Each structure stands twice: as C-alpha cells, then as structure tokens.
Amino acid sequence: MTTAIRVMLVDDQVLLRTGFRMVLAAQPDMEVVAEAGDGAEAIEILRSTAVDVVLMDVRMPRLDGVEATRRICAQQDPPKVLILTTFDLDEYAFSGLKAGASGFMLKDVPPAELLAAIRSVHSGDAVVAPSTTRRLLDRFSPMLPSGEKEPKNKHIGKLTEREREVMLLVAQGLSNGEIAARLVLSEATVKTHVGRILTKLNLRDRVQVVVLAYETGLVRAGGGAG
C-alpha cells in the first residue's frame, strides 16, 4: 500500500484550514498531519513532525508565508511548499517562488485542482502552469537584477549546449511537450534534459529554473533570450 502524502496546513483562518482538511481527509492517499496559524508556528511544528507537502498561506501575523517558506526550504531535506494566495500573480506569489516554493495556487481553486497540485508537488513537479509562468515573470521581472552582473549560479557553465537550449525554453514557460516539438525531440528526452539541468544547477524544480534564468539575465521580460 502506498504511503499517504503527509500534508501540513498553514493559515491564520481556522475556517479555511477546516475546509481544506475536510477535502484532504476524503482522499485515501493524503493525510493532514499538522496545522499552524502562522509561519513561526509552522516552523516550530516541523521540528518534530514529518511532513511531505506544506500548504502555505502568505499573509499571516508574526511570520508571513514567504519568510516561513524561505526558512523551511533552507533546511536539509525540506518538505515541498505550495503557496496559497488570494490574488492571482500578486507579489507574494513571486516572492514565494523565489523563496523556494514549488508553486502557487489560488485559495478558491476547485478541490480537484488543489488535490492534483498536492500530488504533483509531492512527485517533484512544479504547479505553475506555463502560461501563468510567462505572465508572472513578465510582470515581476523588473524586480529582478538586470543580469549585467556575474551570474549567481556558477554551475550554468556546466550545462551542455542542448541543456542550455532546453533551460531557456523552460524559462520562457514552455511545457515539456512544447519544448519537444520546438527541438524535434521526444518528451522523454526533454524530461531527461530537465532532470540533468536541475541536478547540475542544484535546483528543486522548473519554477526555480525560471527564476534563475531571469535573475541571471539569460531571459528577459517578454520571454526572449538575453
């Protein structure tokens, strides 16, 4: 029998946590193992509770979700973090992704989509759709460095020409299928390239690839290569 995905709910609204807990409790492959009312409490609980996926609100007292995400993702073998936000593409969502979150969802997302997102994040995928990634980075790239400085990630030089090509397309928000069609490769080959890119750059998922590409100036706002 497959082990259930251990989920932690972090939100200062008790009613919202109750609603999420009811949805998750009905799933045979999920278990809510902890709840917290703010980021500080979440970090404290994680010291003694094993969690696979954290559903993280952003606007909370004491310690907000972005800073909590940053601290959690800096730990050794951290749980995956899925940011929950009220407004699509607000600055919190972008900051959460930079802090190490594996994606973000709107709080009013249909239950089926939330459950699918939790499973995707748990399996190592990101849950920011390509179209959303493009809009997100186009809007918030002015917050990022110009790219004229030395790239932050010195490992980029270790990428092969093909891997760099794939990375640029990932950063422009293309899915594996779209990249495969663009480069005339199989999806399996693209997935292999993406996996090698993540390993070489010490990144957790493709969301972090997008952020890194914009930070280092490899990709500019609007989706073009730098």
Side-chain angles (χ1 to χ4, degrees):
M1 182 177 176
T2 306
T3 305
I5 301 172
R6 299 165 295 188
V7 181
M8 177 187 221
L9 307 176
V10 186
D11 197 298
D12 59 337
Q13 298 181 46
V14 177
L15 191 59
L16 205 65
R17 294 205 310 265
T18 301
F20 283 140
R21 186 172 66 247
M22 290 174 63
V23 171
L24 270 58
Q27 303 303 306
D29 62 337
M30 294 185 193
E31 178 185 6
V32 176
V33 295
E35 295 185 35
D38 61 60
E41 185 182 1
I43 291 172
E44 185 64 34
I45 291 173
L46 282 171
R47 290 189 178 126
S48 58
T49 305
V51 173
D52 298 312
V53 178
V54 178
L55 293 187
M56 180 75 75
D57 185 24
V58 284
R59 296 166 181 168
M60 297 179 291
R62 288 213 296 165
L63 189 68
D64 67 40
V66 173
E67 181 57 30
T69 296
R70 185 175 292 110
R71 295 185 190 181
I72 289 170
C73 292
Q75 297 173 2
Q76 189 171 6
D77 194 25
K80 301 297 177 62
V81 178
L82 185 57
I83 295 283
L84 294 174
T85 179
T86 307
F87 303 104
D88 190 13
L89 301 188
D90 66 14
E91 68 276 14
Y92 292 99
F94 177 77
S95 298
L97 295 178
K98 279 200 69 178
S102 294
F104 73 91
M105 304 286 290
L106 294 178
K107 284 188 177 180
D108 61 358
V109 65
E113 289 186 27
L114 176 65
L115 296 171
I118 292 171
R119 293 184 180 106
S120 293
V121 164
H122 180 249
S123 69
D125 291 332
V127 292
V128 182
S131 60
T132 306
T133 301
R134 281 192 284 266
R135 289 187 291 127
L136 180 75
L137 273 301
D138 286 350
R139 177 167 173 179
F140 292 109
S141 57
M143 298 166 53
L144 296 169
S146 65
E148 294 173 1
K149 299 178 182 179
E150 191 71 22
K152 291 182 181 180
N153 194 314
K154 60 181 182 295
H155 300 297
I156 287 179
K158 296 180 179 179
L159 299 181
T160 64
E161 186 176 342
R162 176 64 88 186
E163 287 166 353
R164 191 182 177 94
E165 198 173 9
V166 171
M167 177 183 176
L168 290 175
L169 294 176
V170 169
Q172 291 173 49
L174 273 65
S175 67
N176 284 354
E178 291 169 331
I179 294 172
R182 180 79 63 90
L183 300 180
V184 195
L185 300 169
S186 69
E187 279 196 53
T189 299
V190 172
K191 190 171 183 180
T192 298
H193 282 312
V194 172
R196 287 174 180 160
I197 291 166
L198 296 178
T199 299
K200 288 184 178 181
L201 301 183
N202 295 319
L203 300 176
R204 296 181 63 190
D205 52 47
R206 61 198 298 134
V207 171
Q208 299 296 298
V209 172
V210 175
V211 173
L212 177 67
Y214 275 76
E215 281 187 323
T216 56
L218 290 175
V219 174
R220 298 189 302 268

